[in-house]
Amino acid sequence: MMIGGAGMLLAASPAQAADISYKTECIPPAISGLPPVQGTTEVRLTAPAQAKVGDTVEVVWKTVRAASSNPDVLDLDKDTVKPTGTIKLAGAATGDLKMEGPRQNPAIPKNSPMLLPDMKGSLKLEKAGELTLTPDGYNINVSKPLSTDTKCSPKETVQPGATIKVTDGGGGTSGGTTAGGTTSGGTTAGGTTSGGTTAGGTTSGGTTTTGGGTTSGGTTGGSGGATDFPGREVVVNFACKAPGPQEGIASKVTINAEKKGGSYALTVKTAKGVMDSPAPLPAGALKPSMNIVIGGADKGSVTVRGPGNPEPLETGKPVSLPDMTGTYKPGASGKSSLTPGALTIDVMLGGSKINIPCTVKGAPEASLVLDTAAQEGGASGGGSTASGGAAAGGTASGGGLAATGAEDNGALRALGLVAGTAILLGGAVFTFTPWRRLRSGR
């Protein structure tokens, strides 16, 4: 039971403090792709040794040691970490005492101990007897670049950290209720910190895909005066690395081309509502890109890119990827196929970038086949060319995709983005709820 109390805070009789250690499991944000962290939490509770019924006393929770250190993902800025926690009450009162600390910490480098500010809570004493206080679970919120939460809970029986002897001082005795401190810090999706650790390392960047452009597509020749060449809709299955969804993804993809001189302006469309937003994101924070595999007479790849989301995204709401565009300059003459390849979703927030790379599973069909004529410097749209029709991370416009570390065996979960996003990660922290999945769309 959590009941708010009132009254003047007292420190009647000398305060007592004791260090309590207990095994702890901390759950990193889903976007991080990291497994639960197993560690030991060491807590020192400070409370009056004795007080009277009717007194309101202050309890202080000092985290001597968090369950794990800040991992090798990113440095945490000064005053970005805020802890909240719960103390279990027993004896003269029962229920939960809510604890809260300020957003106040020194800068915390990667691979260093997680330093949490002290938490405090106030408790009104309403019944005589011995009151025991036992530390329980706690939450770590990191505010930048997105608000992210890591929840830590005991994995063994925890011993009391303090005991208050409550005497009958004539104040009312209405049976054992307590006053909680303020409630826990908000949980939002996005970023990181795991058990006192930042969660998150983003995954390896632009992945390559197989998928040679074979099979039929909207086959139209580049000759005969036609300039518009619509592709056909094909289903592509993706496997994504953390911090993407853990499930397989199926999305319909269409590659359309418009001939401009000896080159083709490509427009790639995906199904509407292909994913659920893992966290609230501002307009322009989420951008897709895709490698288009060139096969048949020509070889190589070209990267198409989409603009940022035009409107802010709400957690759990369907998200449609904007159309992606790029330029294909043929490097060979003959029938050349264009097949969807690796998909990458970039999330940018507060100057930090996270990449969610997704490779193609199996061998998808080509969406479009063109009758091409070789152009000087052609293939891959000015980017790199690969032999054998494999996707080479060629770029059609702009720079290449950033590569970050840490693999995961999952597939694109629901950007639960880089809360915020990984978490969001590429040097950012954010907690997202798991992407539900990319849908096949209509």
Side-chain angles (χ1 to χ4, degrees), residues 240-268:
C240 303
K241 295 182 179 179
Q246 295 291 316
E247 328 173 326
I249 301 164
S251 180
K252 294 178 181 177
V253 179
T254 304
I255 303 172
N256 299 317
E258 179 184 1
K259 190 173 183 180
K260 293 185 175 182
S263 299
Y264 296 86
L266 303 182
T267 300
V268 178

Side-chain angles (χ1 to χ4, degrees), residues 133 148 172 339:
L133 297 89
T148 64
T339 304

Side-chain angles (χ1 to χ4, degrees), residues 35-389:
V37 174
Q38 309 296 328
T40 299
T41 299
E42 186 174 352
V43 173
R44 181 180 305 153
L45 296 185
T46 302
Q50 184 172 323
K52 302 188 305 293
V53 170
D55 289 349
T56 297
V57 298
E58 182 179 75
V59 180
V60 178
W61 170 321
K62 180 178 182 61
T63 304
V64 179
R65 180 177 58 176
S68 66
S69 298
N70 183 16
D72 187 17
V73 176
L74 74 163
D75 299 329
L76 295 181
D77 293 341
K78 182 177 182 291
D79 298 339
T80 58
V81 177
K82 178 184 178 69
T84 54
T86 301
I87 290 177
K88 294 292 185 182
L89 306 174
T94 58
D96 293 337
L97 174 61
K98 291 298 183 180
M99 308 292 290
E100 181 174 3
R103 195 174 296 282
Q104 183 177 338
N105 61 278
I108 305 175
K110 293 177 285 189
N111 294 318
S112 65
M114 196 73 176
L115 303 176
L116 304 179
D118 294 350
M119 295 182 280
K120 296 181 179 180
S122 60
L123 171 66
K124 185 173 182 180
L125 306 176
E126 299 184 349
K127 183 179 179 181
E130 285 197 347
L131 172 61
T132 61
L133 297 89
T134 303
D136 195 53
Y138 57 98
N139 183 82
I140 301 170
N141 176 266
V142 173
S143 61
K144 291 183 179 180
L146 292 174
S147 179
T148 64
D149 289 279
T150 295
K151 297 183 181 298
C152 302
S153 57
K155 300 307 290 182
E156 65 177 337
T157 300
V158 185
Q159 298 302 311
T163 300
I164 302 174
K165 183 177 181 180
V166 184
T167 60
D168 189 352
T173 61
S174 65
T177 58
T178 67
T182 54
T183 59
S184 62
T187 63
T188 59
T192 50
T193 86
S194 82
T197 76
T198 63
T202 59
T203 61
S204 56
T207 54
T208 60
T209 68
T210 59
T214 56
T215 77
S216 59
T219 306
T220 50
S223 58
T227 58
D228 292 329
F229 305 101
R232 71 186 185 99
E233 192 176 71
V234 294
V235 175
V236 184
N237 294 300
F238 293 98
C240 303
K241 295 182 179 179
Q246 295 291 316
E247 328 173 326
I249 301 164
S251 180
K252 294 178 181 177
V253 179
T254 304
I255 303 172
N256 299 317
E258 179 184 1
K259 190 173 183 180
K260 293 185 175 182
S263 299
Y264 296 86
L266 303 182
T267 300
V268 178
K269 298 178 178 290
T270 58
K272 293 184 180 296
V274 295
M275 66 184 74
D276 293 336
S277 178
L281 294 175
L286 184 153
K287 296 181 179 180
S289 60
M290 182 181 290
N291 272 12
I292 303 302
V293 179
I294 305 167
D298 204 359
K299 307 295 180 185
S301 70
V302 58
T303 299
V304 292
R305 301 181 185 279
N309 49 296
E311 302 292 339
L313 302 178
E314 298 180 24
T315 303
K317 298 294 184 180
V319 177
S320 297
L321 298 180
D323 292 350
M324 294 169 275
T325 59
T327 300
Y328 165 47
K329 180 186 287 188
S333 299
K335 290 190 178 297
S336 300
S337 61
L338 281 71
T339 304
L343 169 69
T344 299
I345 298 172
D346 292 336
V347 179
M348 180 68 72
L349 196 63
S352 297
K353 179 180 180 181
I354 179 176
N355 300 118
I356 299 178
C358 305
T359 56
V360 174
K361 296 194 297 184
E365 296 182 353
S367 174
L368 181 62
V369 177
L370 298 170
D371 286 333
T372 58
Q375 305 293 313
E376 183 178 355
S380 296
S384 59
T385 304
S387 61

